[in-house]
Amino acid sequence: MAPGVRELPSPPPSFTLKKIAIGHGIQNYTCVDTTSAPKADGAVAILYDVTKFAPGTPKTGIPQALWDKIPSALLLKPLTLNKLAGTKYGAHATAPFPREEDLKLLGFPIAEYLGHHYFDISSTPMFDLNRVGLKASVTKLDGVDAPASADKGPLKTGAVAWLQLGDSGKGLSSGLTQVYRVITAGGVGQKCDVAGAGVHSVPYTTFYWFF
């Protein structure tokens, strides 16, 4: 972040970093009509494990400059979500996730599949890291705007905010207490006079840090 710009609070010293993931998916929005503002309506993403590639990690860490480029590089890769017929970016409503596969991104190390991000039937954000048996049901604790220099995405709508997320208190989490969404690329909804009335989806990528 630039000098003078507010940053997200750090996790408590007692918290332990469990995983770092790169997420690739869509942010969903609803437009009541062409004159309204787009309303955020959940998200769907596939998560890949990049923990061992974090800069500073002995033997396996990659340079910071390369690390910071991962979200933008991944955003250029076609979405692997099961597509909703008749849409460019929409995901299938009941079966959005394809078979589990590792991420192969040209110029970067192979990242193993880790899990999924989605919103449950009560619109609660969920992170299911089924490859390692961790799960987080979360609510927003804090947020800051993405830097002005952040990748605005293929639709040039802007990068979604950076977030600090905490346990929802619903008893659905397992092994995780907080999640951070940082270094976002894309994901901001289109204006309703462009997208039209109804639901529309916007591709995004980001790092998720799990504690």
Side-chain angles (χ1 to χ4, degrees):
M1 286 288 192
V5 176
R6 189 175 74 86
E7 298 186 358
L8 291 172
S10 299
S14 59
F15 281 22
T16 301
L17 176 64
K18 298 294 185 69
K19 285 291 179 181
I20 308 172
I22 183 71
H24 187 204
I26 53 173
Q27 295 282 328
N28 296 319
Y29 297 89
T30 298
C31 289
V32 176
D33 54 44
T34 57
T35 63
S36 62
K39 177 182 177 296
D41 197 16
V44 177
I46 302 174
L47 308 174
Y48 303 96
D49 191 350
V50 293
T51 311
K52 66 182 180 181
F53 304 129
T57 303
K59 297 184 180 180
T60 58
I62 63 176
Q64 185 71 51
L66 185 61
W67 173 266
D68 291 344
K69 291 179 180 177
I70 293 178
S72 289
L74 182 54
L75 200 56
L76 296 174
K77 187 178 177 67
L79 285 163
T80 56
L81 295 170
N82 292 331
K83 194 174 180 182
L84 177 64
T87 68
K88 187 173 183 179
Y89 299 117
H92 192 283
T94 58
F97 300 115
R99 65 179 183 179
E100 299 175 3
E101 291 184 341
D102 297 340
L103 174 64
K104 298 177 181 178
L105 193 60
L106 185 64
F108 297 88
I110 294 176
E112 296 180 348
Y113 164 86
L114 183 60
H116 300 140
H117 170 44
Y118 59 95
F119 281 54
D120 68 12
I121 195 169
S122 65
S123 297
T124 300
M126 299 290 300
F127 293 89
D128 184 4
L129 280 56
N130 61 295
R131 181 62 66 88
V132 292
L134 299 173
K135 183 176 287 188
S137 167
V138 299
T139 187
K140 180 180 175 181
L141 299 180
D142 204 348
V144 296
D145 290 340
S149 59
D151 190 329
K152 293 178 173 55
L155 299 180
K156 305 302 180 184
T157 49
V160 287
W162 297 15
L163 301 177
Q164 178 193 24
L165 306 166
D167 183 69
S168 67
K170 296 184 176 182
L172 300 175
S173 297
S174 177
L176 296 173
T177 304
Q178 284 193 7
V179 181
Y180 284 76
R181 182 178 83 181
V182 295
I183 313 184
T184 55
V188 171
Q190 289 181 295
K191 293 182 179 179
C192 290
D193 61 351
V194 175
V199 178
H200 69 279
S201 303
V202 182
Y204 86 106
T205 56
T206 187
F207 285 114
Y208 289 108
W209 291 61
F210 297 94
F211 293 87

